[in-house]
Amino acid sequence: MRGDFFMELVRTKGLSSSELKWIALVLMVLDHIHYMFAYTGLIPEWFSMAGRLSAPLFLFCLAEGFAHTHDRRKYFIKVYLIHLLMSGLLFLMMTGLVPVRPDGFYPMNGMMTSFSILMVVFQGMDWLGEKRWGPGLAAVILPLAWPVLASMLMGMVPALQMPLSVLGYTFLPMWNSNPDAGIGTILTGILLYGFRKNRRVQAGVFAGFTVLYYFLYPLLVFSRSPEFHWTMMFTTAYEWYGALAALLMLCYNGERGRGPKRFFYVFYPAHVYILYALSRAAYPLLAGG
């Protein structure tokens, strides 16, 4: 029945980019509700399990949006400004300059950081396709190498640790600055953009990489622990559930669809901090509930 549903979507009108974003948004909110209120013990784990599909869908829409937008500079600036706001605030929370929840928890959400990095890499990939080797290689390699270079500089000159950290969380974002901007996310985005011209191959490569990176590799690592049981890959280490997003990617009809243009840019930071504020306010009442 489920397979028939997806085949019918593909056969008829499919799903537009806006519709995929709405699906991703709902799943993201479920995930973040669990993320913010897990301490209560009241939010079911499946909220985050379902939420594993959210980031891949947003990455897919980013790749499509970047490839088809008429103004890449404007697109980048909107994303980059949100990154500056959220990543800068994250740095202030990490350094204790902004008060956090009594248990020390603060949101590590940084989707716009990964988007900012990926948009530079996407542009570099296009330049390479046009045989503009200098700017293409620089745009692809430098954002990926920046965290490594910064780490080396910090090791050689300890006095640079704070200024380079500030740069990494603000004007020159690092892909290792938060979980949403990890190397797995960056590689996923690169694969989705690189294979976007063949939808089936794109979905297959994405699903294969996700299973390899988030299931097989962790399985090899975790299986060395005597406390590990294979069922943990379905109950605890379930990041690989995101591979199911490939089914929705195959339903994409190539259309932008209708929807408020600025809503997603406003909603993302707004819902993160509203949920965090609520979790912080409720902590004295619900902690250990």
Side-chain angles (χ1 to χ4, degrees):
M1 181 65 70
R2 186 173 300 174
D4 292 341
F5 169 75
F6 285 107
M7 290 303 297
E8 182 65 17
L9 279 174
V10 174
R11 189 181 67 82
T12 55
K13 73 180 186 68
L15 293 170
S16 68
S17 176
S18 291
E19 289 168 335
L20 287 173
K21 286 180 182 178
W22 281 112
I23 294 172
L25 183 145
V26 172
L27 295 174
M28 175 182 68
V29 172
L30 288 177
D31 181 32
H32 289 169
I33 289 174
H34 180 268
Y35 178 54
M36 302 291 185
F37 292 93
Y39 71 87
T40 68
L42 302 174
I43 309 300
E45 192 75 27
W46 69 262
F47 273 40
S48 279
M49 292 179 177
R52 296 309 91 203
L53 280 68
S54 177
L57 289 177
F58 277 125
L59 289 171
F60 175 83
C61 292
L62 174 73
E64 288 298 311
F66 188 82
H68 296 106
T69 184
H70 297 296
D71 192 339
R72 290 185 172 182
R73 182 176 298 179
K74 183 178 179 181
Y75 192 12
F76 173 79
I77 289 174
K78 287 189 292 186
V79 170
Y80 184 68
L81 289 176
I82 300 174
H83 147 72
L84 287 177
L85 167 67
M86 299 190 69
S87 194
L89 186 54
L90 169 60
F91 183 76
L92 293 177
M93 290 181 178
M94 292 177 62
T95 54
L97 297 176
V98 170
V100 298
R101 209 168 68 187
D103 61 347
F105 171 84
Y106 47 84
M108 295 286 288
N109 307 93
M111 185 183 299
M112 294 302 173
T113 298
S114 61
F115 282 12
S116 298
I117 297 168
L118 282 170
M119 291 169 87
V120 176
V121 175
F122 290 170
Q123 185 61 63
M125 292 168 68
D126 285 348
W127 281 334
L128 290 176
E130 299 167 1
K131 297 184 179 180
R132 299 174 61 183
W133 306 114
L137 289 172
V140 171
I141 295 175
L142 291 179
L144 301 180
W146 165 228
V148 179
L149 295 174
S151 179
M152 293 173 59
L153 287 172
M154 290 178 189
M156 292 186 293
V157 186
L160 292 177
Q161 183 169 350
M162 180 56 71
L164 288 177
S165 296
V166 172
L167 276 179
Y169 279 90
T170 53
F171 300 106
L172 295 177
M174 295 182 183
W175 50 256
N176 62 346
S177 61
N178 62 72
D180 285 346
I183 191 62
T185 301
I186 300 301
L187 292 177
T188 298
I190 291 173
L191 291 174
L192 287 172
Y193 193 74
F195 290 95
R196 72 186 185 283
K197 294 182 180 180
N198 188 319
R199 190 72 60 225
R200 292 185 178 182
V201 173
Q202 179 193 41
V205 169
F206 157 74
F209 171 77
T210 301
V211 172
L212 178 65
Y213 189 85
Y214 291 110
F215 182 86
L216 293 179
Y217 175 68
L219 179 62
L220 291 174
V221 174
F222 297 154
S223 61
R224 299 174 183 176
S225 171
E227 300 177 357
F228 173 79
H229 190 272
W230 65 269
T231 56
M232 294 172 63
M233 298 304 301
F234 298 87
T235 59
T236 305
Y238 49 76
E239 190 72 27
W240 65 274
Y241 284 7
L244 294 174
L247 296 175
L248 292 170
M249 294 175 188
L250 289 172
C251 296
Y252 177 55
N253 60 15
E255 299 177 4
R256 179 176 180 176
R258 297 180 179 181
K261 295 181 180 180
R262 297 181 178 86
F263 175 78
F264 295 100
Y265 298 103
V266 175
F267 182 83
Y268 179 66
H271 93 282
V272 167
Y273 296 124
I274 288 173
L275 286 175
Y276 180 61
L278 291 174
S279 77
R280 183 180 174 188
Y283 189 84
L285 298 175
L286 300 179

